[in-house]
Each structure stands twice: as C-alpha cells, then as structure tokens.
Amino acid sequence: ADSWRKRGYALEMLGRFAEAEASYREAFSRAPTAELGERLGATLLPQDRRDDAAAAFRDAATRAANAAHAARLTAYALLAEG
C-alpha cells in the first residue's frame, strides 16, 4: 500500500488528479486508513466531484485515530458539500 500511496501523492502534486485517485484507491483497498481517505477526497475536489469527496472525507473521519483528526475530516466533508 505504501508504494501506491507515494505514487498517488507524487501524481497529486503534479496535478494529475485522476491518476492520483486511482493510486490512492489501490492503496486504500490494501490498507484503508484515514490518511488515504483524506488524500482521496483531496484528489476528487479538483475533479469537481464534490459529493464523492465529501463521502471520502466522511469515511476517513470514521477511521481517524483521534477526535481532532475526525473533526477536521468532518469539516472537510461539510465544505465539500457546499
């Protein structure tokens, strides 16, 4: 999962969001973490997929290690929903 996460991050930084999304989804399928869900949501927003991004952020919030991270992810979901 880590190599897929790193690939996703590199592609995200290059602005290749659809490719980054695919990499993050592959990483998430192997190790579903809050971090990967958050990155997935972040790649969906620039693709104008706000509902999908909100769902990714909400799912990530359920996997967060602490309340502060969960609250931040929930706020991202609310912002994505508009």
Side-chain angles (χ1 to χ4, degrees):
D2 195 51
S3 61
W4 286 105
R5 180 191 58 78
K6 289 177 182 176
R7 182 177 188 276
Y9 186 77
L11 290 165
E12 182 183 357
M13 294 300 105
L14 292 171
R16 295 165 55 181
F17 299 113
E19 293 170 272
E21 174 194 350
S23 293
Y24 285 140
R25 286 191 186 281
E26 183 63 33
F28 191 84
S29 74
R30 295 165 188 256
T33 65
E35 176 199 4
L36 289 170
E38 182 174 358
R39 298 300 346 131
L40 178 59
T43 63
L44 293 166
L45 285 174
Q47 296 181 71
D48 293 322
R49 294 172 55 197
R50 298 176 70 82
D51 290 342
D52 292 336
F57 290 133
R58 287 194 186 285
D59 180 72
T62 68
R63 301 170 192 279
N66 59 59
H69 191 202
R72 187 178 82 224
L73 292 166
T74 301
Y76 290 165
L78 291 170
L79 289 170
E81 291 170 348

